[in-house]
Amino acid sequence: DRPLLNERAAQFIGREALLAEPIRGGFGRIAFGDTTWRVAGPDLAAGERVRVVGYEGGVLQVEPA
């Protein structure tokens, strides 16, 4: 009844968050709760709102929201 239990990154697809660290050179960081996640996407400034659109390994793929 919890198909994404062991796929934590998949649980964030569709959610929005603010960048905790800017995306530079394709990578940055966002925070969900008390955990920060590495993200990949277009270069954006810290504080920009992004939407999680996928993941690869432990890296969330984001786009501007």
Side-chain angles (χ1 to χ4, degrees), residues 8-65:
R8 287 188 63 205
Q11 297 175 28
F12 299 118
I13 294 176
R15 289 185 59 185
E16 293 184 5
L18 298 178
L19 285 171
E21 296 178 13
I23 299 177
R24 290 191 185 133
F27 295 98
R29 289 198 159 296
I30 59 174
F32 283 119
D34 62 353
T35 304
T36 62
W37 289 80
R38 188 168 191 218
V39 296
D43 287 359
L44 295 168
E48 294 282 335
R49 182 169 291 281
V50 293
R51 178 179 303 108
V52 178
V53 294
Y55 68 97
E56 185 173 329
V59 179
L60 301 176
Q61 308 295 316
V62 298
E63 65 183 20

